[in-house]
Amino acid sequence: MIEIRNLTKRFAQHTAVDNLSFRVQQGEVLGFLGPNGAGKSTTMKMLTGFLAPTSGTASILGFDIQQDTLKAQRQIGYLPEGAPCYEDMTVRGFLEFIAAVRGYQGAEKRERVARAVAQLELEPVLGQSIETLSKGFKRRVGLAQAILHDPKVLILDEPTDGLDPNQKHQVRKLIQSLAHDKIVIISTHILEEVSAVCTRAVVIGQGRLLADGTPLELESRSRYHQAVTLVADQALDRQALAALPGVAGVEENAREHSLSVLAKPGEVILPQVNGLIAERGWKVSELNVERGRLDEVFRSLTRGEVV
């Protein structure tokens, strides 16, 4: 388990992280969310022992990151922001160096490097110096060094930053495959990352905890939760839709003859909408019930609005 208690970091008059507390259990993939400047990277640096907190504590599998720093860090695979590497080294040389630093030698070192290379599909660039790589390949090298020693905890700061859609899919599948026996924390401001790989999400703003729940729980806080979106062949009667029981309002969408019918909190309005469609004989080509919009919840939370 990872446990953060009342973690605080101040820089002169600025409080970057403000009394933050949460726990993460084995098997969880935690999305650590917040806008730029929210304190995500500062929290990651404290959690990995690279930055001392002003107050509060953090422990990794029972090891206090300040009192048992090396024992705690041995449990961690860390991909920092920007994935800094030794740019003049080749990819192979860098990963072999990391393996040696981790204490591996001989056949075991070769096996661990080969496994990380295969998982991140780095074979085509093994002989290249890191400085010549694209941003996406540099990110993959950084992730390879983080998983090389098969750590119990993975802490990844923007793991898919700079990757193309195919590479993002590959890395997300890798994270999911690793997660069953590990704790994974992904710090990101990319909301699609949460829906794609995370089992839980924590949202912070100005260093404070704003929300903590599964992606579905956060989506259910959206005003679009249980909204019904229609696309028809002709104009739809907004007033008739708005008058249905349980309907909070009706919004026009950018697509022609498309409306979103919003549900009041706790209401399910699909049967009423379906009934009106049948009664009016509307030719509806698409009909969808929304789970909610995470981006809308995120914006509301980080703007200080109640959701």
Side-chain angles (χ1 to χ4, degrees), residues 113-132:
V113 170
R115 187 183 304 121
V117 166
Q119 286 177 306
L120 274 303
E121 297 184 3
L122 293 171
E123 293 91 345
V125 297
L126 274 178
Q128 285 184 230
S129 62
I130 293 173
E131 66 186 350
T132 67

Side-chain angles (χ1 to χ4, degrees), residues 243-255:
L244 290 173
V247 170
V250 180
E251 293 183 355
E252 286 190 14
N253 298 319
R255 190 170 175 180

